[in-house]
Amino acid sequence: MWIWTAIAHPLDQPDPYITMSSHLANQAHRPFTLVLAGGGARGFAHAGVLRALEAEGYHPSAVVGVSMGAVVGVTYALRSDWYQAVLDMDTSAFPGPLQIRPTQKGGFRPRLRTWMGKARVIQNMVFGWGPGVRALGAGKQLLLNLTQGRLLEAGRIPLAVSTTDLYTGQRFVLRTGNAADALYASAALAGVLPPLQQDGRLLADGAYADMAPVDVARDFGNPVIIAIDPGQDLASTDIRNGYQALMRAMEICHLRHADARFSGADLVLRPLFRRPIDTMDFDARRECVAAGMGVVRQHRDELGLLLSTVTADPFAPGETQNEAETPSPVVHTFETHTDTQNGMAH
């Protein structure tokens, strides 16, 4: 497995990269399945990845989506205007970033406001499904508009949407049926939105059971699996009490589980962001899209080697990646120092 990362290159003009690469739009390449992982607002990076891949002439033969990755991937498969539809998502009714750690700056009053806000969130979770309930109607309408009321099996490529059954604790994958319902289930954050009741199951965000369902991607039969991970490294922070230690431990557990799941892909692309982006920070969509474009731009050569029909498989015929004699995976980080003003990826 190769793992590549790149830092976002925000754009405030139409992307010349897309224009220059458009002549490649119909080039032949090996079929591949994309695994689009969750990440909340950072999942907008998937739109940038798909946009840049298409500009390079690479079109996925199937998509497996988790949470926000499912939202982007299913919209891509169901709509010809998928890119603009994703960028135009109206998330104004959704709750904003949740402050889970009290600030240590500004004195007593800011810290008190943080704790009071946290108390309201806990109250919403104890006496209801969470702070997102007020936006439930708007959220479901948004998904219905994105999918145009269509079925998963109506996509131009095969789709799989991963969810978590809270009753059994098992992954539950949807390949057919109402697309909007599937997306809601896959993106329903526990403690924020109510899970979806369906056929005796209680379905919530797919990332709880499996952040990167690479085995589901293999089932589509394509020779190459490319996974996109819009996660973030652990933020530097002080740990001063048991609550903060517990939250940190949960973060570590989640990240290490994700690493194990991504290891099954042939190539992992990890967009990097110039600042920490909260799961609910949907105002950051533009820089997330740019981060997705950037990671494809930086690794054009590696994608070409993996997907070329001329050079074929970088591994020996008939071998899987684990069977081939290849060096141990190395994480390469490339930084592009550019203007960091807010920009729009077109």
Side-chain angles (χ1 to χ4, degrees):
M1 178 191 65
W2 301 344
I3 302 177
W4 301 96
T5 64
I7 287 183
H9 181 181
L11 306 171
D12 55 12
Q13 298 293 330
D15 190 351
Y17 166 71
I18 296 297
T19 303
M20 287 187 298
S21 300
S22 60
H23 69 283
L24 299 172
N26 294 314
Q27 75 165 326
H29 60 80
R30 302 173 72 211
F32 66 97
T33 297
L34 269 183
V35 177
L36 305 180
R42 296 186 304 277
F44 277 103
H46 296 311
V49 168
L50 282 162
R51 180 81 160 172
L53 285 174
E54 287 200 326
E56 292 290 344
Y58 302 130
H59 304 272
S61 298
V63 170
V64 178
V66 180
S67 194
M68 190 61 181
V71 173
V72 175
V74 170
T75 304
Y76 170 82
L78 290 178
R79 299 182 58 153
S80 59
D81 63 343
W82 66 272
Y83 183 67
Q84 199 60 47
V86 169
L87 289 184
D88 290 344
M89 285 173 56
D90 182 5
T91 57
S92 59
F94 295 177
L98 302 177
Q99 178 68 46
I100 63 171
R101 292 187 178 90
T103 179
Q104 303 298 324
K105 299 179 180 179
F108 174 74
R109 287 186 178 179
R111 297 177 67 184
L112 178 61
R113 284 195 295 269
T114 297
W115 281 110
M116 290 178 65
K118 186 184 301 182
R120 285 193 293 270
V121 170
I122 294 173
Q123 182 183 36
N124 286 331
M125 287 190 287
V126 172
F127 297 101
W129 286 110
V133 171
R134 290 186 295 274
L136 183 59
K140 287 192 171 183
Q141 187 61 50
L142 168 64
L143 296 177
L144 187 63
N145 293 341
L146 273 180
T147 60
Q148 300 178 322
R150 304 177 70 190
L151 303 177
L152 288 175
E153 57 267 38
R156 66 179 183 267
I157 56 176
L159 293 165
V161 174
S162 187
T163 71
T164 300
D165 185 350
L166 295 181
Y167 286 145
T168 66
Q170 300 298 310
R171 183 184 70 191
F172 184 71
V173 177
L174 297 162
R175 297 178 177 85
T176 61
N178 184 283
D181 286 348
L183 295 188
Y184 177 82
S186 186
L189 284 169
V192 177
L193 288 167
L196 179 71
Q197 294 269 5
Q198 185 181 88
D199 300 328
R201 298 182 177 88
L202 192 64
L203 303 180
D205 196 299
Y208 300 133
D210 194 349
M211 176 64 83
V214 173
D215 56 324
V216 175
R218 295 281 179 201
D219 289 343
F220 283 118
N222 297 311
V224 176
I225 307 299
I226 298 176
I228 313 302
D229 175 15
Q232 294 185 127
D233 293 333
L234 288 171
S236 176
T237 185
D238 290 333
I239 301 173
R240 302 186 179 188
N241 57 47
Y243 173 77
Q244 292 174 348
L246 174 62
M247 295 303 296
R248 187 65 161 192
M250 292 173 63
E251 286 183 273
I252 293 170
C253 181
H254 176 77
L255 288 172
R256 298 294 78 81
H257 173 253
D259 288 344
R261 296 301 295 154
F262 278 110
S263 66
D266 299 303
L267 174 66
V268 180
L269 296 178
R270 287 183 169 138
L272 294 184
F273 309 95
R274 291 186 174 275
R275 62 182 179 89
I277 295 177
D278 187 89
T279 298
M280 305 300 292
D281 187 5
F282 294 105
D283 289 341
R285 71 185 66 187
R286 296 166 184 256
E287 58 188 289
C288 294
V289 170
M293 286 186 174
V295 76
V296 173
R297 177 188 297 111
Q298 290 283 355
H299 305 299
R300 180 186 293 170
D301 292 343
E302 292 76 33
L303 286 162
L305 177 62
L306 188 64
L307 298 176
S308 172
T309 57
V310 176
T311 56
D313 198 333
F315 312 108
E319 293 177 321
T320 65
Q321 177 142 5
N322 290 334
E323 294 167 342
E325 294 182 2
T326 57
S328 300
V330 177
V331 178
H332 298 272
T333 302
F334 296 83
E335 298 190 8
T336 305
H337 300 285
T338 58
D339 183 3
T340 59
Q341 296 298 315
N342 287 336
M344 180 65 180
H346 294 272

